[in-house]
């Protein structure tokens, strides 16, 4: 199998889309027809998990023509215990069946032996268990906590996106603390560039990517120069306030190197949970954002 | 129910023990009699989960007289998918039945709505679902990522331990980056002190604690001064190389304020998996470390 970075490049080129759809299921916003069809057992967590899985199946079908990947946020599955995790795993399978790459948004970060357990859980599980193509990780514990993921990524042609600069308001508290003349997140960016060197594929990109918020376009430019071979995973477009045009500086060249995630803006585009045409609304929202992002990519630096 | 910080103070006083036993089950180190009794179904993950649960039941029985709390590391359960998470939940129940507090070592950290989902999953689940008394969290995303846990802690009298300075070798890469004249982790310590102010209990300690590695005793002293009302959760004694006497500066007063975790040094104290007397070995290792820690607490600053 080609390296993750190369599979991603192929997917983005073939679909002419850098869109990633976040699968963050909020139970109280799901279409009523999905909720009504669930709720059949005495176990509320199992009912919730079934509703989520059915919703995801519909979303995946609707967005597959327009997105390069989906990004399930594992917290929304973990909330429903074992049944939720089973729904998460089945979602990975559904996405793969639809030809979509999957970025598991897990943001794990722990010391060596524990990080190995997380890497096995999510990138290198037992045979027959669905695995994500890539996961997100937290850098606060340094290289020890990333190395097991890099190893699993090498072994399974998977990818790792390291949190660099997140898009939430309080990201500044730690990430912008200034050390030797630059904010902390630029130090993290330099580490990400270094960690990714052994995993650069034929596309010229590394399978070690970076999570970079879209809320500070000037920072994107600086980060692109610090991480020239890195796929950027950019949340924060849509519900978090970023606009598609702001991401132009994130692209590396040829319209590659940036992935833009939208979750709620696409998932709940139907607004009224009572509508039966919810899949059309989801598909239209994905198509619209894909088109805006094509425009942004066209304005990327040459 | 009293605040987590106060329940912890009571447990530590009543048992005269600041020992926390980490429940990090490595399948290939479990006693053979446990492994032989599992492995009954066609699903290797379910078999593993059953073995882990039975091992934990034996460990909990063995260490309950000597430990204030147990700390299951969720990665080792997550590795076995839905069945593993079910074993994690049942482990919480077993520990509570044995009168032990439970610190779920989850190290989650994500933006607001996602952090809320994690907080619900682990501290404030649906009725009837076992919950940890406290969890560990990662501060890299700042206050937004901690606030939902603080809220759940307030609502459910639970606790939150924020990673401040971890004990792994590469912790220095980010945590010791120097900003305005002090390492990053001291900035985090100041935030933890601030985040914990609204959750100070009658014991004088806050339900917002800090994870602080035992490998730098001089740093412990400095951190204690920055976080005077904070419970310290100290990993790294035993397999990670710290010695019980090094933790003395972590105690606040009256021998309170520090919890010391040991995982592998206690769990696998029997050495040979073929032994049938494994529970005795586990109990003895817990008792020995408890005694060493009593000695350390007696040498704490007055």
């Amino acid at each position: 199998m080609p390296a993750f970075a190369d599979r991603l490049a192929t997917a983005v080129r073939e679909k002419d889309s850098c869109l990633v759809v976040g699968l963050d299921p909020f139970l109280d916003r799901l279409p009523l027809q999905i909720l009504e069809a669930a709720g059949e057992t005495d176990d509320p967590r199992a009912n919730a998990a079934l509703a989520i899985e059915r919703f995801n199946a519909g979303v995946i079908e609707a967005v597959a023509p327009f997105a390069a990947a989906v990004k399930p946020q594992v917290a929304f599955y973990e909330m429903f215990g074992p049944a939720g995790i089973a729904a998460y795993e089945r979602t990975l399978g559904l996405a793969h069946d639809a030809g979509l790459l999957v970025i598991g948004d897990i943001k794990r970060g722990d010391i060596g032996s524990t990080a190995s357990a997380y890497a096995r859980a999510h990138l290198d599980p037992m045979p027959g268990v669905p695995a994500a193509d890539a996961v997100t990780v937290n850098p606060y514990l340094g290289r020890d906590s990333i190395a097991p993921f890099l190893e699993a990524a090498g072994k399974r042609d998977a990818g790792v996106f390291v949190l660099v600069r997140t898009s939430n308001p309080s990201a500044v508290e730690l990430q912008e603390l200034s050390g030797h003349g630059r904010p902390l997140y630029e130090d993290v960016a330099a580490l990400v560039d270094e960690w990714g060197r052994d995993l650069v594929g034929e596309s010229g990109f590394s399978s070690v990517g970076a999570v970079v918020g879209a809320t500070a376009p000037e920072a994107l430019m600086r980060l692109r120069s610090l991480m020239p071979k890195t796929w950027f995973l950019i949340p924060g477009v849509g519900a978090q306030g970023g606009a598609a045009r702001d991401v132009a500086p994130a692209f590396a060249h040829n319209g590659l190197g940036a992935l833009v995630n939208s979750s709620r803006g696409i998932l709940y585009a139907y607004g009224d949970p009572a509508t039966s045409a919810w899949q059309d609304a989801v598909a239209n929202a994905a198509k619209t954002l894909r088109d805006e992002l094509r425009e942004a990519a066209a304005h990327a630096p040459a």
Side-chain angles (χ1 to χ4, degrees), chain A:
Chain A
M1 187 157 63
F4 171 73
D6 297 340
R7 287 187 286 139
L8 194 51
T10 301
V12 169
R13 273 204 201 96
E14 284 181 353
K15 291 196 169 163
D16 191 9
S17 173
C18 66
L19 176 64
V20 175
V21 176
L23 300 176
D24 303 6
F26 286 82
L27 216 53
D28 57 2
R29 298 181 73 177
L30 300 197
L32 295 183
Q33 66 185 82
I34 293 282
L35 287 172
E36 279 158 10
E40 288 151 6
T41 80
D42 289 340
D43 177 355
R45 301 199 294 177
N47 298 341
L50 184 61
I52 286 172
E53 183 183 338
R54 288 180 179 175
F55 178 59
N56 285 350
V59 170
I60 285 168
E61 185 184 25
V63 306
F66 311 113
V70 288
K71 181 176 73 63
Q73 168 48 262
V74 74
F76 292 96
Y77 304 82
E78 206 165 305
M79 231 172 85
F80 299 109
I85 297 299
Y88 175 79
E89 291 184 353
R90 285 193 292 267
T91 296
L92 303 186
L94 291 168
H96 285 150
D97 290 347
L100 291 163
L101 291 169
V102 180
I103 301 168
D105 200 351
I106 64 171
K107 295 191 181 68
R108 302 303 192 242
D110 211 306
I111 61 164
S113 58
T114 303
S116 293
Y118 279 130
R120 285 192 55 190
H122 293 278
L123 293 181
D124 187 23
M126 290 186 181
V129 176
D133 298 286
V135 292
T136 56
V137 297
N138 184 307
Y140 189 67
L141 282 79
R143 178 184 318 249
D144 305 343
S145 66
I146 310 294
F149 287 97
L150 301 182
E151 196 180 321
K155 178 178 168 197
R156 299 291 298 257
D157 297 308
V160 180
F161 289 88
V162 182
L163 299 184
V164 171
R165 174 62 168 85
T166 59
S167 55
N168 58 313
S170 74
V172 299
E173 285 182 314
L174 268 71
Q175 297 165 29
E176 299 214 338
L177 281 178
S178 178
H180 28 285
R182 62 179 183 182
L184 175 66
Y185 70 82
E186 293 193 6
D187 287 294
V188 178
L191 289 170
V192 169
D193 182 65
E194 190 186 319
W195 294 337
R197 278 180 202 165
D198 293 340
L199 289 168
V200 174
E202 292 177 7
S203 60
F205 287 98
S206 172
S207 290
V208 180
V211 175
V212 171
T215 43
E218 64 287 356
L220 281 183
M221 222 175 307
R222 172 86 182 130
L223 288 171
R224 179 44 78 198
S225 73
L226 286 166
M227 299 181 284
K229 296 181 172 180
T230 301
W231 278 101
F232 286 12
L233 174 59
I234 305 172
V237 168
Q240 293 179 46
R245 65 180 177 283
D246 291 338
V247 303
F251 291 92
H253 49 76
N254 302 328
L256 289 180
L259 294 171
V260 177
N261 182 76
S262 177
S263 302
R264 282 168 276 173
I266 290 176
L267 292 187
Y268 309 114
Y270 45 86
D272 179 4
T275 180
S276 62
W278 68 274
Q279 273 188 291
D280 293 339
V282 169
N284 285 335
K287 181 176 183 303
T288 301
L289 185 51
R290 179 206 60 181
D291 292 343
E292 288 174 23
L293 292 170
R294 279 183 181 171
E295 185 74 12
H299 288 88

